[in-house]
Amino acid sequence: MSETTTPATATPPDRRVSGVSIRLDGVTKRYPGQDRPAVDDVSLEIPAGETVMFVGPSGCGKTTLLKMLNRLIEPTSGRIHLGDEDVTDQDPDRLRRRIGYVIQAGGLFPHMTVGTNVALVPRMLGWDKRRTATRVDELLDLVGLDPAVYRDRYPRELSGGQQQRVGVARALAADPPVLLMDEPFGAVDPVTRLRLQDELLRIQEELGKTIVFVTHDFDEAVKLGDRIVVFDVGARVVQYDTPEAILANPAEEYVADFVGAGATLKQLTLTRVGDVELRQVTTAVVGTDSAQAVAAVRSAGHDFVVVLDERGRPISWPTLAELTRTTTVPAAVDERLPVVDLRSTLNDALDTMLAASQGGVVVTGRREALAGVLMVESVMAAIQRSRAEVAG
Amino acid sequence: MTAATESSSLGAPESVTRRADETTAGAGRGDWRALATQPLLVAVGVLAFVLWRANATLTETEARQLGWTALWTGIREHLLLTVASAVIVLLIAVPLGIALTRRPLRRFSPLISGIANTGQAAPAIGLFVLLATWLGFGFGTTVVALVVYAALPVLRNTMVGIQGVDPRLVEAGRGMGMSAAAVLFRVELPLAVPVVLAGVRTALVLLVGTATLATFIDGGGLGVLINTGITLSLDSLLVSGAVLVALLALAVDWLGRVVEHVARPKGL
Ligand SMILES: Nc1ncnc2c1ncn2[C@@H]1O[C@H](COP(=O)(O)OP(=O)(O)O)[C@@H](O)[C@H]1O
Ligand SMILES: [Mg+2]
């Protein structure tokens, strides 16, 4: 048996943790009729309350390894522990009710409403109707869907991103300590994916589950992961470390190749929007007097204003000239307004700017309230700094 | 960004596909219109037949064969044959179809499909005669023959319906801790219902048609009318029998469609 790969650094102590650790001991999976095992003697420890990302080339055994954690695939040999408990021989159905499982496109049952889908595991665990109903609403809230609006809809009536949110809510329904996610955001468009990632970060900050997340997107791994496991064929663990450490010191040439040549630019993925200085802007609330707003913008020396709705959420950013032509601050929502979250990476921000052909993005924080504006110059400055660091 | 219109905290670019229900409600109305025309057609057909029967000048033999009680007996026998065989088909073919999609029996499903296909390719009359020489004449043998003949579409559609369920949904079900039986009854079967019911409807229509052959082995039904019409060269009997069978088939098909419409799971 190989030595157990343990992460190099410890969990920051200030985080809330509701997850349990996972330990794999010499886990092997040999599919019938194949000469090489799909997963070959893997030992791995995943700390409680952390998000660990599985990356590696297609067919290297990530999904197989993940599905052995909830025994959708039975290991040929090896042991699996959840916390202090050896679950290798536990009844798989009972085990799985304690492990949330999220797949691509959510895997929602199309003939059940959103509410019924989310209620499935609590009902199986014998929760009464009222407790289940309360929990369903709580979870829909958690993933950013208004329960009153979405509870009784069918999955078909939701967008891909919304379905994926419900998939996450369903997996979290019975408050499992562990969440397994297999390329969950692989099927949605880039903008939606970015939002779902931000949302997951927020949920994880709140809940502190142990999350194992398979992805083929290294940027996603860097953004979401407390740690990353880089696998090679047969689920050989090539490197298991924090994103920073892997980017700084790829263990093998293979990892360096996988991470990509632009390691400097990869720093963009490590830096969060909240880490750099945001430009403060003049704001105006919908429906107020335009002349006043114009005066405020002028006196601040700005050339545009960010319009907020009644709840303080940015909805458009007209120029001074545009604002001058109105009498009250317009309520029109600019569908193309580029917005990122404080948790988004600089990479996300840059992508969003490019997609909107704008020189900046509006940044939001808690409850989508305005946090400031990030200009492309600040992103450039961050790139310059990291280049200087790498060179020096 | 649509932050102001979306109550979801970060659901901005996703608000587009929300209201799919209006379009489906429209489609629903269209379905009902189609469903409403078929019984109308049957009613018109029945009315035309009744008018013709009441006003036509018939010979004594014709009048006896086409007497209201004789007709009613024929229709009743025909329906009884159809319903009895359909019930037995459902009881056999649906569970068998389900069993053949389960892991232990899955490898037999091509074999059974093959046998069933061959069975249906064989001429029905041959099957009737063969079974009659083995089991004797009468109602029972007729039902057996009809069951053998009509089981295929139900069996095949049950298998196809279940196999057509997205395997990721089955995996999602198992992955959240549903037992194999729970996944079958709560996910696979409900999603297979439309396909299974389409098979049942096909079988019913097939049964109404094939039951006309019952007369050759003393099974009764409307085939008697047709057969007598042929042997005695009485076109009125032959055509009456054929028309009644056709109307019955249309009516049964309509009933099947209504059931399909009502039983179709919401949300699909
Ligand atoms: N059910 C299966 N039967 C046989 N081989 C399989 C099965 N599932 C996966 N494999 C093989 O195991 C290897 C690992 O697959 P997988 O775990 O899906 O990789 P990944 O998720 O990293 O792309 C691949 O070579 C694949 O072909
Ligand atoms: Mg995979």
Side-chain angles (χ1 to χ4, degrees), chain A residues 67 101 144 333-335 368, chain B residues 1-2 8-9 18 171 186:
Chain A
K67 284 190 189 168
Y101 184 50
V333 175
D334 179 0
E335 300 284 345
E368 273 191 283
Chain B
M1 172 164 164
T2 53
S8 89
S9 64
R18 289 210 193 137
E171 192 190 277
R186 299 211 55 194

Side-chain angles (χ1 to χ4, degrees), chain B residues 54-79:
Chain B
N55 299 311
T57 40
L58 301 169
T59 65
E60 200 185 316
T61 331
E62 286 174 325
R64 194 170 55 246
Q65 294 285 340
L66 291 175
W68 295 115
T69 37
L71 283 179
W72 180 235
T73 311
I75 292 173
R76 228 182 40 222
E77 282 173 359
H78 207 94
L79 272 176

Side-chain angles (χ1 to χ4, degrees), chain B:
Chain B
M1 172 164 164
T2 53
T5 55
E6 267 260 352
S7 47
S8 89
S9 64
L10 285 168
E14 307 162 15
S15 49
V16 198
T17 53
R18 289 210 193 137
R19 292 253 60 119
D21 26 3
E22 279 107 10
T23 51
T24 39
R29 270 194 297 280
D31 284 0
W32 281 112
R33 205 168 302 140
L35 279 181
T37 36
Q38 200 165 344
L40 233 71
L41 223 76
V42 175
V44 169
V46 170
L47 197 69
F49 178 77
V50 169
L51 284 178
W52 169 80
R53 172 64 189 82
N55 299 311
T57 40
L58 301 169
T59 65
E60 200 185 316
T61 331
E62 286 174 325
R64 194 170 55 246
Q65 294 285 340
L66 291 175
W68 295 115
T69 37
L71 283 179
W72 180 235
T73 311
I75 292 173
R76 228 182 40 222
E77 282 173 359
H78 207 94
L79 272 176
L80 188 65
L81 281 172
T82 306
V83 171
S85 330
V87 168
I88 298 173
V89 163
L90 280 180
L91 289 179
I92 295 174
V94 173
L96 184 62
I98 293 171
L100 285 171
T101 59
R102 300 301 94 187
R103 195 183 294 281
L105 295 180
R106 211 171 286 166
R107 58 210 170 95
F108 296 114
S109 70
L111 179 74
I112 303 287
S113 299
I115 293 175
N117 275 317
T118 325
Q120 201 172 37
I125 184 71
L127 185 67
F128 274 70
V129 171
L130 208 69
L131 279 174
T133 54
W134 178 34
L135 298 172
F137 283 41
F139 180 82
T141 308
T142 311
V143 170
V144 172
L146 287 175
V147 166
V148 170
Y149 200 61
L152 173 75
V154 180
L155 179 69
R156 187 179 47 205
N157 278 37
T158 304
M159 280 163 38
V160 169
I162 292 177
Q163 284 158 356
V165 173
D166 187 343
R168 287 177 312 175
L169 294 182
V170 175
E171 192 190 277
R174 295 311 307 270
M176 70 171 76
M178 290 168 87
S179 66
V183 171
L184 174 66
F185 287 107
R186 299 211 55 194
V187 181
E188 293 176 275
L189 281 180
L191 290 175
V193 156
V195 183
V196 175
L197 285 182
V200 172
R201 186 164 53 85
T202 310
L204 278 170
V205 173
L206 209 63
L207 281 172
V208 172
T210 316
T212 49
L213 298 177
T215 176
F216 295 115
I217 59 170
D218 283 351
L222 290 168
V224 177
L225 214 54
I226 300 175
N227 195 26
T228 316
I230 294 171
T231 35
L232 302 181
S233 295
L234 291 173
D235 286 352
S236 57
L237 297 190
L238 174 64
V239 173
S240 296
V243 165
L244 287 177
V245 169
L247 287 173
L248 206 58
L250 266 176
V252 164
D253 179 70
W254 174 74
L255 268 178
R257 282 181 200 278
V258 170
V259 171
E260 272 176 61
H261 197 83
V262 173
R264 183 181 185 84
K266 285 207 202 78
L268 291 192

Side-chain angles (χ1 to χ4, degrees), chain A residues 31-32 34 38 56-65 73 182-183 214:
Chain A
Y31 287 111
Q34 290 184 354
S58 178
C60 72
K62 304 181 294 291
T63 297
T64 304
L65 190 58
I73 293 176
D182 195 351
E183 306 202 17
V214 172

Side-chain angles (χ1 to χ4, degrees), chain A residues 11-306:
Chain A
T11 327
D14 54 336
R15 273 250 293 263
R16 193 192 143 171
V17 172
S18 72
V20 298
S21 64
I22 304 170
R23 204 172 82 235
L24 304 177
D25 271 337
V27 171
T28 296
K29 177 65 190 182
R30 208 179 280 279
Y31 287 111
Q34 290 184 354
D35 28 313
R36 294 190 63 171
V39 170
D40 192 2
D41 191 22
V42 172
S43 299
L44 203 64
E45 181 150 358
I46 294 166
E50 297 213 351
T51 305
V52 172
M53 310 294 288
F54 284 5
V55 298
S58 178
C60 72
K62 304 181 294 291
T63 297
T64 304
L65 190 58
L66 187 83
K67 284 190 189 168
M68 284 195 284
L69 297 181
N70 65 0
R71 306 249 310 285
L72 276 176
I73 293 176
E74 291 290 349
T76 312
S77 62
R79 312 297 304 175
I80 298 162
H81 300 260
L82 233 58
D84 302 327
E85 215 180 329
D86 185 338
V87 297
T88 325
D89 300 316
Q90 217 177 59
D91 172 48
D93 290 338
R94 303 180 74 89
L95 173 68
R96 289 178 201 138
R97 289 171 204 171
R98 299 194 286 141
I99 300 179
Y101 184 50
V102 186
I103 58 176
Q104 202 168 82
L108 301 183
F109 299 136
H111 59 301
M112 298 179 189
T113 61
V114 164
T116 314
N117 265 289
V118 176
L120 281 166
V121 179
R123 298 298 291 168
M124 273 191 278
L125 292 173
W127 293 20
D128 63 47
K129 280 222 167 67
R130 177 175 304 158
R131 183 175 170 208
T132 308
T134 317
R135 181 67 180 154
V136 166
D137 286 3
E138 195 178 296
L139 279 159
L140 289 178
D141 245 346
L142 179 73
V143 298
L145 295 172
D146 181 357
V149 177
Y150 292 98
R151 191 195 304 117
D152 297 320
R153 290 213 181 153
Y154 284 96
R156 185 179 51 101
E157 299 163 345
L158 307 183
S159 69
Q162 289 169 335
Q163 289 184 18
Q164 195 59 67
R165 282 157 199 262
V166 178
V168 172
R170 184 173 72 175
L172 288 170
D175 205 19
V178 174
L179 201 55
L180 306 180
M181 309 181 84
D182 195 351
E183 306 202 17
F185 308 148
V188 292
D189 64 273
V191 180
T192 307
R193 184 180 315 138
L194 194 153
R195 304 217 168 269
L196 289 169
Q197 290 168 348
D198 291 345
E199 196 96 338
L200 184 66
L201 284 171
R202 183 180 58 73
I203 291 170
Q204 173 64 350
E205 217 164 82
E206 221 167 289
L207 302 181
K209 302 287 177 195
T210 306
I211 301 181
V212 184
F213 189 121
V214 172
T215 180
H216 58 257
D217 176 358
F218 197 76
D219 287 339
E220 182 169 68
V222 171
K223 178 175 177 183
L224 297 181
D226 295 308
R227 298 166 206 288
I228 299 174
V229 190
V230 184
F231 290 104
D232 196 359
V233 179
R236 180 177 73 91
V237 177
V238 181
Q239 192 167 12
Y240 181 17
D241 216 325
T242 59
E244 294 80 2
I246 290 181
L247 283 170
N249 298 303
E252 293 177 21
E253 197 153 308
Y254 161 75
V255 181
D257 287 348
F258 194 77
V259 165
T264 322
L265 289 178
K266 289 288 174 196
Q267 294 291 334
L268 282 182
T269 314
L270 284 175
T271 315
R272 308 282 156 162
V273 170
D275 298 339
V276 299
E277 202 180 331
L278 300 180
R279 185 169 149 190
Q280 288 315 305
V281 290
T282 315
T283 60
V285 176
V286 161
T288 54
D289 184 32
S290 288
Q292 258 177 27
V294 168
V297 176
R298 285 229 168 85
S299 73
H302 293 159
D303 50 3
F304 67 95
V305 61
V306 174

